[in-house]
Amino acid sequence: MGVLDAVADPVRLGIVRHLAGHGSGTLTELAEAAGVHVNTIRAHVAALEEAAVLESEQQAASGPGRPATEYRLVDGWGLSSTDFLELAGLLAAALARNRPDRDTLRETGSDWGRYLVGRPGRRDVAEELPRALERLGFQATVADGVVRISGCPCAVISPDHPEIVCGLATGLVEGVLAASGSDLSVAEHDAHPEDRRCTLRLTHVG
């Protein structure tokens, strides 16, 4: 698992954020911070250790029983206080300067959607689409062939060219659908960047 894959998961991102703010933490503390059971947190901590994002150190024994293990971020690891919004804005401005066409944006988004899903195979798009969009900062629901997206970052990172984010998001949905083995495709994209929301209607193809 690569570093980006390791921290992209919401639970693992919660772990990293907690350690960035508190310096260290035990499994119990990390589970509370991420809002999951302590048994669930173990696999996430192991993944972050494998990706060399965090390291562990056993505390000195202070009584009967096994001493607790503390976890901390590896030197050089941390999170931006702005969650990279300024960098995202800079990248959007650079992209706008090259004036990408609609098809290029959708193809780029589609490639990224396939990457987020991983190995192609039959999957439930009602679960995969919100999960993939959440990893990029969107909030989404899927019901009755309609994808409703809220919290769109276009007004924040690309207010003068919201079509860039919209095109990438549309492509992302198409990529997730394709990688999930779905016969659905985006038929209509109703965007409202001023309200930071949009609606994508899906249709069966083939």
Side-chain angles (χ1 to χ4, degrees), residues 101-123:
D101 58 45
R102 176 174 172 272
D103 290 341
T104 298
L105 290 170
R106 289 179 70 152
E107 289 172 6
T108 302
S110 179
D111 288 344
W112 200 250
R114 293 171 186 269
Y115 162 76
L116 292 179
V117 170
R119 187 185 298 274
R122 181 67 63 177
R123 293 179 173 85

Side-chain angles (χ1 to χ4, degrees), residues 66-143:
R66 188 175 180 178
T69 300
E70 277 203 341
Y71 298 87
R72 59 177 51 83
L73 295 175
V74 171
D75 287 345
W77 249 99
L79 290 175
S80 168
S81 61
T82 61
D83 284 337
F84 305 107
L85 283 178
E86 293 298 327
L87 177 58
L90 175 61
L91 293 173
L95 190 58
R97 182 167 292 186
N98 290 323
R99 298 178 181 176
D101 58 45
R102 176 174 172 272
D103 290 341
T104 298
L105 290 170
R106 289 179 70 152
E107 289 172 6
T108 302
S110 179
D111 288 344
W112 200 250
R114 293 171 186 269
Y115 162 76
L116 292 179
V117 170
R119 187 185 298 274
R122 181 67 63 177
R123 293 179 173 85
D124 184 352
V125 296
E127 294 181 2
E128 291 297 329
L129 281 173
R131 184 181 297 126
L133 288 163
E134 180 182 333
R135 290 174 66 174
L136 297 185
F138 298 92
Q139 298 170 1
T141 60
V142 183

Side-chain angles (χ1 to χ4, degrees), residues 1-3 5-7 9 11-13 15-16 19 25-27 30-31 36-56 69-72 74:
M1 179 181 294
V3 171
D5 291 318
V7 299
D9 181 272
V11 172
R12 293 194 285 272
L13 183 57
I15 294 172
V16 173
L19 294 177
T26 63
L27 280 177
L30 296 179
V36 297
H37 192 275
V38 67
N39 289 335
T40 302
I41 208 71
R42 296 180 190 276
H44 292 286
V45 167
L48 290 170
E49 280 192 289
E50 183 180 349
V53 173
L54 57 79
E55 57 190 6
S56 61
T69 300
E70 277 203 341
Y71 298 87
R72 59 177 51 83
V74 171

